[in-house]
Amino acid sequence: MNFFDRAETNEEKAARQGGAVSQIDTTEKLSEAPESGSSLFALCGLGVAGIVMLGWICALAWIAWRLVDWLLF
């Protein structure tokens, strides 16, 4: 594999193919970046889910510890 080949642009591809336009060519603008509020909301949701998950794991560990203590003593 040769990693040092120059990248080919859409115009070069079209010229090589006899002027045919690629289907991936577009003239419309790309959409703007999403607002930071929605990603902040998702990040807070993941944080809350992580805290709940840790709480659930601690509760299961505490129940297991109490069960082992009850069975052994």
Side-chain angles (χ1 to χ4, degrees):
M1 289 180 101
N2 187 2
F3 293 106
F4 299 107
D5 286 340
R6 186 175 62 89
E8 187 177 24
T9 63
N10 287 336
E11 290 82 13
E12 290 171 343
K13 286 180 186 177
R16 187 170 42 90
Q17 295 173 354
V21 178
S22 174
Q23 291 182 355
I24 61 171
D25 287 338
T26 181
T27 58
E28 61 189 45
K29 283 189 163 186
L30 295 175
S31 62
E32 297 294 325
E35 294 182 15
S36 61
S38 61
S39 60
L40 184 61
F41 180 72
L43 188 61
C44 289
L46 286 174
V48 168
I51 291 170
V52 169
M53 182 182 65
L54 287 175
W56 180 246
I57 291 171
C58 289
L60 288 175
W62 181 79
I63 291 171
W65 180 266
R66 298 291 295 174
L67 183 63
V68 168
D69 187 41
W70 178 70
L71 289 173
L72 293 179
F73 297 109

